[in-house]
Amino acid sequence: MDWDSFLTPYKQAVDELKVKLKGIREQYQKTSLHTPIEFVTGRVKPISSILNKAERKQIPLNRLGEMQDIGGVRIVTQFVEDIDKVIDLIRSRTDFVIVSERDYIKEKKPSGYRSYHMMLQYPVHTIKGRENVIVELQIRTMSMNFWATIEHSLRYKYSGEIPDDINMRLQRASEAAFWLDEEMSIIRDEVQEAQRIITAKQRQNRG
Ligand code: 0O2
């Protein structure tokens, strides 16, 4: 298996998408608008993880292109409402095709995992010509990301067999993360409302 030539288009796709998505954030930062993108990360799945997953999902090596998260990009937002804004921004793009979407926020995974996933078919131009690769875009809040990052490293530590008591605590932590997202949105709405009242009063006093 020539891993280098197999993974090169994925690396290019991830790198290009990161630049483009960070560009959106920078454009927002130049305005007075709230930026729906807090930060962007991306990675190409390590070969050992590709092989593990291929074995788990019984994908033969000559069909690895079917694995949809070899290239992965993540957008992390401050608020849950920002996720819808980001989804709209992604849907309006013409430089890639959205192949499928999975809403693990409306329906969280049994583990407690919440995130919005979009599978993008992204064209890269290599010296061998144009090639379409699938990149998994994950969109989640900072709170969802906090939970998923810790749960992911625990799952790795316990080789996928997380003890029942830890699993239960992770479920509770997932509910706490959900509550935190809701609370932060309410606080933001109240601050914005207070700001509107203050601005309106200032205008009245001036006029
Ligand atoms: P990595 O590279 O280590 O992040 P499935 O078999 O249904 O669980 P599938 O069909 O491959 O997974 O697709 P799905 O559900 O979109 O999951 C792909 C990626 O989503 C995972 O990659 C994780 O990054 C994330 N994810 C999905 N479920 C969970 C979860 O319960 N907890 C956490 N922390 N992340 C999750 P990998 O395979 O873990 O690889």
Side-chain angles (χ1 to χ4, degrees):
M1 175 87 189
D2 181 355
W3 284 106
D4 198 37
S5 54
F6 176 68
L7 294 178
T8 294
Y10 288 99
K11 184 177 177 332
Q12 192 167 325
V14 168
D15 286 347
E16 287 181 19
L17 278 165
K18 271 165 64 183
V19 168
K20 291 177 177 186
L21 298 169
K22 285 179 183 180
I24 299 178
R25 173 177 161 76
E26 280 157 24
Q27 287 173 48
Y28 267 101
Q29 283 177 321
K30 288 192 183 118
T31 70
S32 58
L33 297 170
H34 161 73
T35 165
I37 297 178
E38 183 63 14
F39 62 87
V40 179
T41 61
R43 61 96 183 99
V44 173
K45 211 177 183 68
I47 297 171
S48 57
S49 307
I50 296 176
L51 290 173
N52 275 340
K53 193 162 184 171
E55 198 179 310
R56 192 159 45 85
K57 299 218 154 195
Q58 298 190 323
I59 302 172
L61 284 188
N62 60 354
R63 286 188 7 224
L64 280 184
E66 289 173 20
M67 200 181 286
Q68 301 210 307
D69 65 341
I70 291 178
V73 177
R74 182 175 299 152
I75 294 179
V76 178
T77 70
Q78 288 187 348
F79 300 101
V80 179
E81 296 72 30
D82 295 334
I83 293 177
D84 287 331
K85 180 76 204 160
V86 172
I87 294 170
D88 286 345
L89 283 168
I90 298 297
R91 286 187 184 147
S92 70
R93 303 283 302 210
T94 54
D95 47 347
F96 46 75
V97 175
I98 301 166
V99 185
S100 63
E101 301 184 29
R102 281 195 219 160
D103 190 348
Y104 295 128
I105 297 174
K106 268 208 188 96
E107 257 183 70
K108 68 175 181 195
K109 282 198 154 189
S111 61
Y113 177 76
R114 289 185 306 135
S115 190
Y116 195 93
H117 290 193
M118 296 176 110
M119 304 300 166
L120 312 179
Q121 188 187 61
Y122 187 86
V124 285
H125 296 267
T126 66
I127 50 172
K128 288 184 198 150
R130 184 185 144 131
E131 197 176 323
N132 286 323
V133 290
I134 299 288
V135 175
E136 182 184 77
L137 172 65
Q138 301 180 342
I139 311 166
R140 48 169 88 147
T141 63
M142 289 198 277
S143 173
M144 295 173 194
N145 192 47
F146 179 41
W147 183 92
T149 306
I150 307 282
E151 193 261 2
H152 191 273
S153 50
L154 281 176
R155 200 151 32 94
Y156 185 75
K157 186 174 163 208
Y158 289 108
S159 314
E161 303 285 326
I162 301 180
D164 284 350
D165 61 322
I166 308 261
N167 247 329
M168 207 182 68
R169 294 171 87 152
L170 279 168
Q171 291 277 349
R172 288 217 300 266
S174 164
E175 280 158 28
F178 177 78
W179 176 84
L180 188 59
D181 272 333
E182 288 207 314
E183 195 61 10
M184 287 307 196
S185 291
I186 294 169
I187 292 170
R188 182 179 75 156
D189 288 349
E190 285 179 5
V191 170
Q192 280 178 342
E193 182 56 22
Q195 195 62 50
R196 265 194 292 275
I197 294 169
I198 292 166
T199 314
K201 275 193 179 149
Q202 281 170 343
R203 280 209 192 104
Q204 258 178 9
N205 291 343
R206 270 190 234 120

